[in-house]
Amino acid sequence: ILNVEQSPQSLHVQEGDSTNFTCSFPSSNFYALHWYRWETAKSPEALFVMTLNGDEKKKGRISATLNTKEGYSYLYIKGSQPEDSATYLCASPEYNQGGKLIFGQGTELSVKP
Amino acid sequence: ETGVTQSPTHLIKTRGQQVTLRCSSQSGHNTVSWYQQALGQGPQFIFQYYREEENGRGNFPPRFSGLQFPNYSSELNVNALELDDSALYLCASSQSPWTSGNNEQFFGPGTRLTVL
């Protein structure tokens, strides 16, 4: 069974700080890597879907990189704002069970003004 | 375009009871997946429905069952509720059952189930 891990579990930063966190996954039988942003009382929102080794994706101040050979992805937030406060989840589909997403436990980000 | 909706928002049940949770998929999506999120954990895959048939199941007992209707909306049924079933239940819809490339899963806000 695929095991996806995220670190750190939580992060507290000041407004304006840049931050990053990690998602680790098995490098064998890699399929895709999904990043979600989840604000309290809202739906998880898809940020990126990454499939190719070396992929880099960007949406505003948020960017992500992917290394399938070593089995990790980084999510970066440049100049954090209070509205970036959320839980960030990564997930990877189980091999040969494409619809079954395996999630990490999430990184809870809190940005103080 | 209407997003994924779930009902009810919150629900309180007692042990041994049965519960039905509902999910309306996003327009144009034929696949619905259900996840359980217990406190402090990431969402855990329960099962997926594609064209009204179960298309993959996670490590959940048979008392967790589902349905998908011709309009692609879905229900999650849980029988003989246990205390450990207390969790947030999320549904997600997608354009196909395969989660690769740009085929994203779009999530609803969840139903919070409390079992007393």
Side-chain angles (χ1 to χ4, degrees):
Chain A
I1 295 178
L2 186 61
N3 189 34
V4 177
E5 295 185 351
Q6 292 186 247
S7 63
Q9 197 167 349
S10 64
L11 203 50
H12 299 267
V13 302
Q14 290 295 131
E15 183 175 355
D17 288 350
S18 291
T19 187
N20 67 85
F21 23 93
T22 307
C23 174
S24 301
F25 51 87
S27 55
S28 59
N29 297 324
F30 175 78
Y31 211 166
L33 195 284
H34 296 240
W35 279 103
Y36 286 88
R37 178 173 177 271
W38 194 3
E39 289 181 72
T40 304
K42 294 189 178 179
S43 307
E45 171 199 356
L47 287 172
F48 307 114
V49 179
M50 309 177 82
T51 56
L52 299 175
N53 185 42
D55 240 358
E56 287 189 29
K57 299 235 174 170
K58 188 174 180 182
K59 187 183 283 189
R61 294 179 291 98
I62 304 177
S63 60
T65 61
L66 179 68
N67 184 325
T68 60
K69 292 182 180 178
E70 295 183 34
Y72 64 83
S73 176
Y74 292 141
L75 190 80
Y76 300 92
I77 302 178
K78 186 177 177 182
S80 302
Q81 300 296 309
E83 58 264 32
D84 295 328
S85 297
T87 296
Y88 291 83
L89 290 164
C90 68
S92 191
E94 184 84 63
Y95 181 68
N96 264 349
Q97 298 184 52
K100 180 181 179 180
L101 280 179
I102 305 298
F103 280 87
Q105 68 271 51
T107 293
E108 188 177 355
L109 175 66
S110 174
V111 182
K112 291 186 177 179
Chain B
E1 186 179 84
T2 307
V4 179
T5 60
Q6 292 186 244
S7 63
T9 308
H10 296 88
L11 205 49
I12 299 174
K13 291 283 188 179
T14 56
R15 272 188 306 175
Q17 284 189 311
Q18 178 264 344
V19 70
T20 297
L21 310 182
R22 294 179 175 83
C23 173
S24 292
S25 58
Q26 188 164 308
S27 176
H29 289 184
N30 58 22
T31 303
V32 173
S33 303
W34 286 92
Y35 295 84
Q36 179 197 65
Q37 195 205 18
L39 205 59
Q41 296 181 23
Q44 304 284 315
F45 178 79
I46 303 174
F47 43 54
Q48 182 184 77
Y49 276 83
Y50 170 58
R51 291 186 176 177
E52 302 178 56
E53 299 274 337
E54 187 179 289
N55 180 56
R57 188 178 184 92
N59 190 25
F60 281 81
R63 60 190 184 82
F64 285 76
S65 63
L67 281 173
Q68 187 178 34
F69 299 99
N71 66 355
Y72 304 126
S73 66
S74 178
E75 285 182 356
L76 164 66
N77 299 291
V78 188
N79 293 324
L81 283 167
E82 300 177 1
L83 296 179
D84 285 349
D85 296 333
S86 295
L88 181 71
Y89 289 85
L90 293 163
C91 78
S93 73
S94 53
Q95 290 181 325
S96 84
W98 298 104
T99 311
S100 62
N102 291 320
N103 184 29
E104 300 171 16
Q105 292 191 9
F106 292 82
F107 283 82
T111 293
R112 173 74 60 187
L113 173 64
T114 302
V115 182
L116 303 176

